[in-house]
Amino acid sequence: MRDVAPLPGRPQLDRGHPDCNAAGPAAVRPAAPAEAPVPPLPPLDRFAGVDRATVERLRRGRRPVEASLDLHGMTQAEAHRALSAFIAGSRAAGRRCVLVITGHGRLSGGVLKAAVPRWLDAPDLRRAVLAIAPARPQHGGAGALYVLLRRPRDSAP
């Protein structure tokens, strides 16, 4: 039995199972369900079209935070709506640097912590966002993001 190899495409036996020598479905390990591929996360430090001095001020927390949004305790749907409204309202008010607090998450690593960068990189919010960076410890550290907003365009003809 030592030189016997399993046929290709056949399920493997669970060697630790007490019935591994018995014939029948009890000894066969079920195939793992196929999972949908997870889209890659956008880079957390996104600085397209921003000069180096501005990038460094944002990364080091040297830009004044003009408004903040705390997403703790919200569902994903509530948080997405709140983030969209907050970004639109902040940009309309002429704010440039805002803080979005996602939290660290308990055991799973933070659903909102992973989702917010993807939402900020989506086409509807990407037009308003110039750069994003992880916050400094005094502003929430890894559980928060600095968001640098684009200046609103003048509506003059």
Side-chain angles (χ1 to χ4, degrees), residues 71-87:
L71 300 175
H72 281 105
M74 293 186 188
T75 65
Q76 285 190 53
E78 292 169 342
H80 192 246
R81 282 192 302 273
L83 180 67
S84 296
F86 175 70
I87 295 294

Side-chain angles (χ1 to χ4, degrees), residues 9-102:
R10 301 290 302 256
Q12 295 288 323
L13 291 178
D14 183 5
R15 300 281 181 221
H17 194 277
D19 294 331
C20 69
N21 293 330
V28 177
R29 181 181 306 170
E35 294 182 16
V38 177
L41 288 174
L44 194 52
D45 293 335
R46 192 186 71 180
F47 303 111
V50 182
D51 63 283
R52 184 188 304 230
T54 302
V55 168
E56 287 305 312
R57 279 195 302 270
L58 185 67
R59 278 186 175 159
R60 294 180 182 178
R62 305 247 190 254
R63 288 199 62 105
V65 175
E66 301 171 56
S68 64
L69 172 67
D70 190 348
L71 300 175
H72 281 105
M74 293 186 188
T75 65
Q76 285 190 53
E78 292 169 342
H80 192 246
R81 282 192 302 273
L83 180 67
S84 296
F86 175 70
I87 295 294
S90 294
R91 187 167 182 227
R95 298 183 187 117
R96 291 286 304 206
C97 183
V98 297
L99 181 69
V100 178
I101 302 165
T102 61

